[in-house]
Amino acid sequence: MHIYSAIGCIEIAVPGKWGYRCTGMSFLNLMRVFLAALYDGLDKQSGKVFKKGIGNFTGFNSFEDVLKAWQHQIKYYTRKTVEIDTAVDTALEENVPDILCSAFVDNCISRGKTIKEGGSKYDFISGLQVGIANLGNSLAAIKKLVFEEKKITKEQLLFALENNFEGEDGEKIRQLLLNFAPKYGNDEDYVDLLLKDAYMEFINELEKYHTTRYNRGPVGCKYYAGTSSISANVPSGAVVPATPDGRKAFTPVAEGSSPSSGTDLRGPTAVFKSVSKLPTKKIMGGVLLNQKLTPATIRKDQDKKKLISIIRTFFEELKGWHVQYNIVSRETLLAAKKNPEKYRDLIVRVAGYSAFFTTLSPDTQDDIIARTEHLLI
């Protein structure tokens, strides 16, 4: 069963090119929404207008117009995620009662109802939003390079995006976007707070809705944001054209709440501080953060203590929710991809789950290899 919104795909137990659907949650591709905001509501990939915009980027007079266009689109697609979740929850209630799971959830047996019928004591649902870092980086690049410093015109930016940064001029613009605008993950308020405010537009709209179990017994029955996109950042990126953060067309978008690969240049503590500026108390569906260290980084006992210290600070002082590590060198991962038969026992942390590296798709392998390797300084 496939239920499509303009930007995301919701599926019941079936993987698809726009996302995944397994247990009742929507996947929202934030960068497809953002690009639609720049093109007066036109989704360039499908050629369809699902929500008429407020104008084309070339006609915007200020960065405030960009934010208004984003607000206009994200409110529409937020409601669509709720509609999709409602359709899926209804289908699950009618056709997939999941009696075994319900038997282990408080109050289902005493109420004589399954989870989807309202048997559980608590009921909170979170969809997943994909491409968090790309959204923040794109906003920062447009604000700084187009409207403030005027290093790139609106027309030049759109032309570069539509041509995937091809040619000398396209690559020049891409390098400006990559290297001369602040990037999320480096503890820079300029981009971090832009991302927070843009994400809050989604969260504030989401708080208006409730689940199908509302007034049927459970406490809550509300929707929450979630960044635990598992490995959906790879297929999600595969349907997104080039974006204003310098990302090339159809390449992976950033996973979870992690920075875009290679853009977090100030170490793991700067990443922690950027993540902590997100509205984490409202992201009940998970604030998934991946980090990668080389084995040499924690070879000494003092280095292990240093890692323990920064993790403790992240959770106790910055109120972090989650961080998971791959402690493996880039060279090992490249060797495993080239000679998988020699590395069949190599396990990596993907995004919310672990897997044998050699069993992952080549695109997912490349995405893990591309993650920034941090040092403990």
Side-chain angles (χ1 to χ4, degrees):
M1 175 179 178
H2 297 259
I3 306 173
Y4 287 90
S5 74
I7 304 303
C9 168
I10 306 307
E11 305 173 353
I12 298 180
V14 180
K17 69 176 184 178
W18 283 26
Y20 295 91
R21 176 64 189 192
C22 299
T23 56
M25 63 185 69
S26 59
F27 282 71
L28 180 62
N29 194 325
L30 294 178
M31 292 314 294
R32 284 283 285 271
V33 178
F34 185 71
L35 288 177
L38 298 183
Y39 284 99
D40 198 25
L42 174 65
D43 176 46
K44 297 284 283 188
Q45 188 65 8
S46 67
K48 298 179 179 179
V49 175
F50 297 96
K51 175 64 175 177
K52 184 71 169 67
I54 65 170
N56 192 281
F57 179 60
T58 55
F60 291 169
N61 296 315
S62 68
F63 182 67
E64 290 302 314
D65 289 336
V66 177
L67 295 180
K68 290 177 182 178
W70 164 254
Q71 294 164 1
H72 183 73
Q73 293 294 324
I74 196 60
K75 287 182 179 180
Y76 171 80
Y77 286 108
T78 302
R79 180 177 176 85
K80 291 305 170 185
T81 67
V82 173
E83 291 176 2
I84 290 168
D85 275 328
T86 299
V88 173
D89 277 349
T90 301
L92 291 174
E93 181 178 347
E94 294 177 353
N95 301 301
V96 189
D98 203 352
I99 296 172
L100 179 61
C101 181
S102 297
F104 288 95
V105 174
D106 285 350
N107 289 19
C108 284
I109 291 179
S110 61
R111 288 177 177 171
K113 296 180 179 180
T114 65
I115 293 172
K116 293 300 181 181
E117 291 173 326
S120 61
K121 183 176 182 178
Y122 302 102
D123 190 308
F124 300 95
I125 293 286
S126 74
L128 300 176
Q129 300 80 58
V130 189
I132 302 294
N134 305 95
L135 175 61
N137 293 346
S138 292
L139 287 166
I142 289 175
K143 182 180 181 183
K144 185 177 182 65
L145 299 177
V146 176
F147 289 102
E148 291 180 351
E149 298 182 354
K150 303 186 186 303
K151 291 183 177 179
I152 303 172
T153 68
K154 292 172 285 188
E155 292 77 12
Q156 285 176 322
L157 179 58
L158 289 192
F159 184 83
L161 296 182
E162 290 164 3
N163 290 276
N164 198 24
F165 302 109
E166 296 297 329
E168 184 177 341
D169 290 342
E171 183 58 27
K172 179 180 178 181
I173 289 174
R174 181 169 180 263
Q175 291 304 317
L176 286 171
L177 296 171
L178 288 173
N179 299 304
F180 290 87
K183 298 292 184 291
Y184 166 75
N186 295 288
D187 188 24
E188 293 194 51
D189 283 351
Y190 188 100
V191 56
D192 296 343
L193 298 184
L194 277 177
L195 174 55
K196 175 186 177 181
D197 291 344
Y199 201 4
M200 279 303 300
E201 294 294 336
F202 168 82
I203 292 172
N204 288 336
E205 184 68 17
L206 193 65
E207 289 179 343
K208 299 177 181 178
Y209 305 102
H210 53 72
T211 73
T212 60
R213 273 82 61 197
Y214 186 68
N215 280 338
R216 294 167 70 181
V219 174
C221 298
K222 298 289 290 183
Y223 290 100
Y224 287 92
T227 74
S228 304
S229 53
I230 318 175
S231 52
N233 65 302
V234 177
S236 292
V239 294
V240 179
T243 47
D245 57 340
R247 173 194 150 276
K248 285 207 165 186
F250 314 126
T251 60
V253 293
E255 46 81 21
S257 66
S258 306
S260 294
S261 296
T263 63
D264 43 335
L265 305 177
R266 296 184 179 176
T269 55
V271 175
F272 285 168
K273 293 184 75 174
S274 285
V275 172
S276 72
K277 296 173 199 175
L278 293 174
T280 54
K281 290 183 179 180
K282 292 180 176 289
I283 309 175
M284 299 294 288
V287 189
L288 189 149
L289 172 63
N290 278 297
Q291 291 198 331
K292 187 167 69 174
L293 303 173
T294 64
T297 302
I298 58 168
R299 186 165 294 157
K300 300 177 181 178
D301 287 343
Q302 64 187 46
D303 293 327
K304 295 174 184 176
K305 292 179 180 178
K306 190 181 297 184
L307 178 60
I308 292 171
S309 177
I310 66 172
I311 293 175
R312 190 182 302 278
T313 300
F314 179 50
F315 286 98
E316 294 182 355
E317 302 298 327
L318 298 177
K319 308 304 179 185
W321 278 73
H322 171 278
V323 62
Q324 58 191 23
Y325 288 93
N326 273 314
I327 302 178
V328 59
S329 69
R330 174 183 173 85
E331 290 72 22
T332 297
L333 294 175
L334 288 171
K337 185 179 180 183
K338 184 177 181 180
N339 300 295
E341 68 281 355
K342 296 181 180 180
Y343 293 86
R344 292 178 179 175
D345 61 345
L346 177 60
I347 297 176
V348 294
R349 192 70 177 166
V350 184
Y353 68 98
S354 297
F356 288 102
F357 181 76
T358 56
T359 66
L360 298 172
S361 70
D363 287 343
T364 301
Q365 289 178 334
D366 289 340
D367 188 52
I368 294 173
I369 292 169
R371 292 176 186 171
T372 303
E373 287 189 356
H374 286 291
L375 299 175
L376 301 178
I377 301 174

